[in-house]
Amino acid sequence: ELKVEQNPLFLSMQEGKNYTIYCNYSTTSDRLYWYRQDPGKSLESLFVLLSNGAVKQEGRLMASLDTKARLSTLHITAAVHDLSATYFCAVDSMRFGAGTRLTVKP
Amino acid sequence: SQTIHQWPATLVQPVGSPLSLECTVEGTSNPNLYWYRQAAGRGLQLLFYSVGIGQISSEVPQNLSASRPQDRQFILSSKKLLLSDSGFYLCAWSVRDPGTQYFGPGTRLLVL
């Protein structure tokens, strides 16, 4: 059974700081997805990583994929309050991690 | 452009009552369709997915069922709701599997 583990599950950080969210998965896969969910809202797609070594960046977020280590990271640079949300990774399209609830404080 | 609709947006139902949630997609043909449940403050649990009309795969044995009577319509049902059925129900579609999923606005269900 495919397992997808995210850590940390809760992250409180100050504006301007950097941090990384980790997504580990248990079986071979070369497709990894990141989504964002604002409180009380649905999910929206952030990144699709399709091969080993893939890196995608948008604004203050950068995602990478290491299929050999079965690990994806979502790096936050110089966090701002607008990034406060829950971030999910998903493997093989349908298998989601538990989510990382990010709170960025002034 | 493609859009996905879910209704109702909010539902309060008594234990033991039936349930029908509907999801429709516009602007695409033969999408893969998915139902997820999200308990308060938790992750997404895949309930059902469908690759075509009448083709339903169930992920978790429970008192819920799903049907796909038309290409772009996906229905989640229950004959008798349980308290544990409360949650945020999300429908999603994708062009292919695996592929990026596009989520609907969700239905918040409270079973009392």
Side-chain angles (χ1 to χ4, degrees), chain A residues 3 7 10 13-15 37-38 45 50 66 69 87 93:
Chain A
K3 292 185 179 179
N7 67 84
F10 298 93
M13 52 191 302
Q14 286 189 314
E15 282 189 331
Q37 184 180 35
D38 291 314
S45 175
L50 300 178
D66 181 343
Y87 294 86
S93 185

Side-chain angles (χ1 to χ4, degrees), chain B residues 40-61:
Chain B
R42 306 291 295 275
L44 274 71
Q45 178 186 30
L46 178 65
L47 301 176
F48 302 94
Y49 67 95
S50 171
V51 299
I53 295 174
Q55 301 178 60
I56 310 294
S57 297
S58 174
E59 285 289 306
V60 183

Side-chain angles (χ1 to χ4, degrees), chain A residues 52-78:
Chain A
N52 185 42
V55 177
K56 294 280 184 74
Q57 182 166 5
E58 183 169 336
R60 301 174 187 273
L61 300 177
M62 183 174 71
S64 65
L65 178 62
D66 181 343
T67 58
K68 294 180 181 178
R70 300 176 184 173
L71 171 68
S72 179
T73 61
L74 180 65
H75 187 73
I76 303 156
T77 302

Side-chain angles (χ1 to χ4, degrees), chain B residues 18-86:
Chain B
L19 174 73
S20 181
L21 303 181
E22 190 163 342
C23 169
T24 59
V25 181
E26 296 177 356
T28 187
S29 296
N30 197 29
N32 292 331
L33 296 171
Y34 310 84
W35 278 112
Y36 293 89
R37 176 169 60 201
Q38 184 178 31
R42 306 291 295 275
L44 274 71
Q45 178 186 30
L46 178 65
L47 301 176
F48 302 94
Y49 67 95
S50 171
V51 299
I53 295 174
Q55 301 178 60
I56 310 294
S57 297
S58 174
E59 285 289 306
V60 183
Q62 54 204 334
N63 66 321
L64 299 173
S65 62
S67 62
R68 185 171 177 173
Q70 300 180 38
D71 181 44
R72 291 170 289 177
Q73 184 184 29
F74 205 21
I75 297 172
L76 182 69
S77 303
S78 174
K79 292 182 179 179
K80 289 185 178 181
L81 284 169
L82 307 173
L83 286 174
S84 58
D85 290 325
S86 293

Side-chain angles (χ1 to χ4, degrees), chain A residues 1 3 10 15 18 26 29 39-40 46-47 49 52 55 58 60 64 66 70 78 86 90 95 97-99 103 105:
Chain A
E1 179 187 347
K3 292 185 179 179
F10 298 93
E15 282 189 331
N18 304 332
S26 60
S29 175
L46 289 175
F47 301 110
L49 303 168
N52 185 42
V55 177
E58 183 169 336
R60 301 174 187 273
S64 65
D66 181 343
R70 300 176 184 173
T86 299
R95 312 299 173 184
T103 302
K105 299 181 177 180

